[in-house]
Amino acid sequence: MTGASMDVVVLIGRILFAVLFLGSGIAHVTQRQMMAGYAASKKVPAAGAAVPASGVLIVIGALMVAVGVWPDLGALLLAAFLVPTAVLMHGFWAETEAAARMTEQTQFLKDLALAGAALVMFGLFAQLGDDLGLVVVGPLFELS
């Protein structure tokens, strides 16, 4: 593949990755009462404030990745959301019922896998620096 076609593939991947977070983040804001109730049932501290704040965080992170405005920072924001969410919201180890334990374990592992993907994006974007194509503003961090 040429450099230009690889830039398009990476752009498509960035957009597809961001779609999940855009939808979820918007739901955190528009359905905050319901989601805050669920978060409170999981013993999330200050769930009423945490839900809309985390929604704004992931919308910003997703847009940064998709549009290409400091996409490395956007990926880092998403990872910073995902790891605590996995632990706080999907504590499968505390479930006593087998089906609930399996569901929470799946969600926990999904969040960790997405956090891993976000960290890989962070590293790649920061490593590529100004060579990362099809962005508005290149990566904020520079790794060499």
Side-chain angles (χ1 to χ4, degrees), residues 8-125:
V8 171
V9 169
V10 171
L11 174 62
I12 291 168
R14 290 183 358 230
I15 292 168
L16 291 175
F17 184 73
V19 166
L20 169 73
F21 299 102
L22 290 171
S24 180
I26 291 167
H28 275 70
V29 174
T30 61
Q31 300 171 23
R32 66 181 168 271
Q33 298 290 41
M34 178 197 59
M35 294 184 90
Y38 180 68
S41 78
K42 296 289 190 166
K43 310 289 189 251
V44 172
V51 166
S54 64
V56 170
L57 175 80
I58 59 178
V59 166
I60 289 169
L63 287 172
M64 291 172 84
V65 168
V67 174
V69 175
W70 292 334
D72 54 338
L73 177 59
L76 201 56
L77 292 175
L78 295 175
F81 163 79
L82 287 161
V83 173
T85 298
V87 174
L88 292 172
M89 296 296 295
H90 303 299
F92 65 92
W93 51 87
E95 293 293 337
T96 55
E97 198 266 314
R101 177 183 288 262
M102 186 172 63
T103 297
E104 292 301 337
Q105 184 175 20
T106 299
Q107 293 302 315
F108 177 86
L109 294 172
K110 174 199 58 109
D111 282 355
L112 288 186
L114 287 167
L119 289 173
V120 168
M121 283 184 169
F122 166 75
L124 289 174
F125 296 161

